[in-house]
Amino acid sequence: MPVDQAQTQATVPDSVDVVIVGAGFGGLYMLHRLRGLGMSAHIFDVASDVGGTWYWNRYPGARCDVESMQYSYSFSEDLQQEWRWSERFAGQPEILRYAGHVADRFDLRRDITFETRVTRAAFDETSGRWMVETDRGHRVSAQHCVMATGCLSAAKLPEIPGIDSFQGRTFHTGAWPHEPVDFAGRRVAVIGTGSSAIQAIPVIAEQAKHLTVFQRTPNFSIPTRNRPMEPEYEAEWKAEYAERRRKARAMRTGILYDIDPRSAADVPEEERRRHYEARWEVGGTAFMGAFHDLLTKKASNDTAAEFVRGKIAEMVKDPKKAAILQPRNHPIGTKRICVDSHYFDTFNRDNVELVDLTGDPIEAITPTGVRVGGRDYAVDDIVFATGFDAMTGTLQKIDIRGTGNQSLADKWAAGPRTYLGLMSAGFPNMFMITGPGSPSVLSNMIVSIEQHVDWITRCLDDMRASGATRIEPTLAAEDAWVEHGNEVAHRTLYPEANSWYMGANVLGKPRVFMPYVGGVGVYREKCDAVAANGYEGFTLDAPPRRAATAAE
């Protein structure tokens, strides 16, 4: 069935083994694996179709920053051999088609209820089951609950006075309309210059009569060098998929690319520059693998940051604009490293204006535009490219109640607390896919999704084999993991940036480094060791007994 067609809604059961919240890549694979165990499961999703992040983020220019051959499922050899990507870096429409193809190929839609928001999930201590409620009146009892709600799905509007007074059209990049938006002949404002804005701005500039970009914080961005998929490159990957996937799973980011083992600070300046030039010409986030210590040593990071600032100065003809666009308040890579198609070149266009908000923040949204420093910028449309309440926002929109009627939102009021990013103490039998405390947004998300789903599947199979019906982490294990995550983060440069990794884009949100920075390979080894050691750090109501291997 083509994505976005009206769905024939699945019948909602009264009771299942597992309720899954979210029909993105995590939820789809979880449902597939649970069926393989012979367990009953049902997915709820507020969207009208599968796709998760890629269902909502359909703004102009939306594209994955991981190469197509790697941003794809590995669990089915037939699937990965037969699917053909059209570009090196896939655009949103193609990724959404891929999600729809997977749902159809594995007949997943019959257990998914769309256009339905889960509003409450409460653990009943007497029955040892979760009661999941929706905005359409469903009440489903489940032994386990899996939150596949995604890390970047709670779109966030900025706190600007007058935001509701604007009389023109408004859009958010994370909740874009499904019908085409025409900016021809219109004056458009884009507020924000993060990853989605960097992708959208060049496309909007080509259509709009005039585009005004309001920038609070400049960001580093690397050209994608995107191009049509070369048959030879595709064939090379497909011939070696098993080995390349294995290597990628051991990488820090879950993305296979070469990392130079040298320190940037130890390499002579001319050789170092040639090395950066070569990475720049290849394009993509592999630039950050130019030297192994770019995210751990400030002196090394400075060399990469200065190189990219120099590139910005070369591309942007107006020296004043170039200076405004050059990031200087955070090390390169400590905010999400962006990839782009002619972003900086766009500021050479006559119809593009750049407004620096560093000294003068936006005072107000007015009925006719945006006011900054006493000046009114009249516009017809405003695009808010202001990001998400990342990693925790969607979970905390649900009234989740654990033992003792404890609220997850209250427990996480000072920052999210999990064990391995998989579970939170006091919430038995509730798993999270790529939750806070796991590599998640610092990684190739599909690699991390598959790892989490495989671990959860193994856990449920082991529980069934031993007769266990309940699992949750101990507070001691959770506290130790949170402390370890913070300690590892502070060995890097990441905490030096006010990024959404720290929750800095949400007013009042605690500043806690949410993803696990120790690396995908190290993290996988830890999770496997925990399971192999009888689910060390978890309490179960029956001793665990191994039922199956981790990856089947």
Side-chain angles (χ1 to χ4, degrees):
M1 172 193 273
V3 172
D4 281 345
Q5 277 191 353
Q7 300 293 327
T8 301
Q9 290 284 41
T11 300
V12 178
D14 294 328
S15 178
V16 291
D17 294 321
V18 185
V19 162
I20 303 166
V21 185
F25 284 111
L28 294 178
Y29 183 42
M30 188 78 252
L31 176 59
H32 176 68
R33 289 304 314 269
L34 289 170
R35 284 187 184 170
L37 291 183
M39 299 180 78
S40 60
H42 197 83
I43 295 179
F44 291 104
D45 198 301
V46 70
S48 65
D49 210 330
V50 300
T53 292
W54 298 105
Y55 174 92
W56 299 107
N57 287 265
R58 52 181 74 211
Y59 57 85
R63 186 173 301 282
C64 189
D65 57 6
V66 178
E67 283 196 15
S68 308
M69 299 306 296
Q70 301 196 56
Y71 192 82
S72 52
Y73 286 123
S74 68
F75 71 86
S76 166
E77 179 64 14
D78 287 344
L79 174 65
Q80 69 179 2
Q81 289 295 332
E82 292 172 14
W83 181 264
R84 303 290 303 277
W85 295 102
S86 68
E87 295 180 282
R88 199 82 171 257
F89 290 88
Q92 177 270 340
E94 187 168 22
I95 298 172
L96 197 57
R97 286 195 299 273
Y98 176 70
H101 171 76
V102 170
D104 292 337
R105 184 188 185 100
F106 297 99
D107 189 25
L108 301 178
R109 296 181 197 274
R110 61 184 166 89
D111 289 317
I112 306 175
T113 298
F114 296 104
E115 298 178 331
T116 304
R117 183 183 301 277
V118 170
T119 55
R120 193 170 194 269
F123 185 73
D124 184 318
E125 295 183 61
T126 302
S127 66
R129 295 178 68 84
W130 284 89
M131 180 58 69
V132 179
E133 301 176 14
T134 78
D135 62 352
R136 296 176 59 200
H138 304 110
R139 287 172 53 84
V140 182
S141 171
Q143 187 74 37
H144 302 276
C145 191
V146 176
M147 294 297 178
T149 49
C151 300
L152 301 174
S153 53
K156 180 192 170 298
L157 285 169
E159 295 83 13
I160 300 174
I163 195 168
D164 295 326
S165 71
F166 183 63
Q167 295 177 353
R169 302 186 301 178
T170 60
F171 307 93
H172 191 289
T173 50
W176 201 262
H178 290 204
E179 57 279 357
V181 177
D182 186 5
F183 291 112
R186 300 181 70 84
R187 300 165 300 172
V188 182
V190 173
I191 297 176
T193 51
S195 180
S196 58
I198 282 173
Q199 292 185 334
I201 282 168
V203 181
I204 295 173
E206 291 179 351
Q207 301 176 13
K209 176 182 177 182
H210 189 270
L211 173 63
T212 307
V213 177
F214 294 88
Q215 175 188 274
R216 184 179 65 178
T217 306
N219 275 292
F220 292 101
S221 187
I222 312 297
T224 61
R225 312 293 184 198
N226 193 33
R227 55 191 179 275
M229 181 65 70
E230 304 96 328
E232 300 79 14
Y233 185 75
E234 179 187 31
E236 177 185 300
W237 264 90
K238 288 185 174 182
E240 300 179 8
Y241 243 147
E243 179 62 13
R244 293 190 182 197
R245 298 282 202 188
R246 184 190 66 77
K247 288 179 179 178
R249 293 183 192 112
M251 300 286 287
R252 181 179 61 83
T253 61
I255 305 171
L256 184 61
Y257 55 72
D258 293 331
I259 299 177
D260 193 304
R262 297 173 296 174
S263 167
D266 293 342
V267 176
E269 184 176 352
E270 278 304 311
E271 182 183 352
R272 187 171 61 222
R273 180 169 183 84
R274 287 195 302 272
H275 201 54
Y276 285 140
E277 285 282 2
R279 294 275 175 154
W280 183 266
E281 286 307 310
V282 171
T285 58
F287 179 85
M288 292 303 297
F291 298 101
H292 83 92
D293 60 352
L294 294 186
L295 289 170
T296 55
K297 290 187 180 177
K298 185 65 164 58
S300 293
N301 188 283
D302 285 345
T303 66
E306 191 55 38
F307 174 84
V308 175
R309 284 193 288 264
K311 286 295 184 183
I312 295 169
E314 290 176 14
M315 289 183 283
V316 181
K317 295 174 184 176
D318 182 338
K320 281 189 175 181
K321 280 187 180 179
I324 293 169
L325 290 163
Q326 290 172 322
R328 296 188 182 275
N329 71 340
H330 64 280
I332 185 171
T334 56
K335 287 193 171 188
R336 184 182 181 91
I337 187 74
C338 302
V339 295
D340 69 88
S341 297
H342 309 295
Y343 172 67
F344 293 109
D345 296 317
T346 298
F347 292 94
N348 296 323
R349 296 176 63 102
D350 293 336
N351 70 327
V352 176
E353 182 176 4
L354 177 63
V355 179
D356 182 12
L357 303 177
T358 305
D360 289 307
I362 294 175
E363 296 172 32
I365 304 292
T366 70
T368 58
V370 183
R371 182 174 298 150
V372 177
R375 176 183 168 185
D376 286 333
Y377 294 83
V379 297
D380 304 306
D381 304 318
I382 299 177
V383 175
F384 294 102
T386 46
F388 305 87
D389 186 352
M391 301 196 72
T392 61
T394 304
L395 272 176
Q396 291 181 307
K397 285 183 177 179
I398 304 169
D399 182 14
I400 300 174
R401 301 278 171 166
T403 55
N405 200 38
Q406 176 183 203
S407 161
L408 184 70
D410 288 345
K411 179 183 175 180
W412 287 8
R417 302 188 71 79
T418 73
Y419 181 41
L420 303 173
L422 281 162
M423 301 189 81
S424 191
F427 297 83
N429 294 357
M430 187 187 84
F431 298 91
M432 292 167 280
I433 296 177
T434 63
S438 71
S440 59
V441 292
L442 295 179
S443 69
N444 178 347
M445 285 297 293
I446 293 191
V447 168
S448 288
I449 283 168
E450 287 191 323
Q451 186 257 327
H452 264 195
V453 169
D454 289 342
W455 193 94
I456 294 167
T457 303
R458 170 182 180 173
C459 177
L460 295 180
D461 201 20
D462 286 349
M463 289 178 67
R464 184 170 60 179
S466 64
T469 62
R470 176 168 169 167
I471 182 172
E472 69 174 299
T474 67
L475 272 173
E478 179 173 283
D479 290 345
W481 183 253
V482 171
E483 182 180 349
H484 170 66
N486 289 332
E487 190 268 327
V488 172
H490 282 86
R491 288 186 217 157
T492 74
L493 303 174
Y494 279 107
E496 294 191 22
N498 283 324
S499 69
W500 56 260
Y501 297 145
M502 300 281 291
N505 64 320
V506 179
L507 187 66
K509 189 168 183 174
R511 298 296 186 263
V512 177
F513 195 80
M514 292 184 284
Y516 178 68
V517 78
V520 167
V522 170
Y523 173 80
R524 178 185 294 272
E525 290 176 1
K526 171 64 177 176
C527 290
D528 288 348
V530 164
N533 292 332
Y535 294 92
E536 182 180 17
F538 291 92
T539 58
L540 295 94
D541 60 356
R545 181 158 57 91
R546 188 71 194 97
T549 60
E552 92 273 350

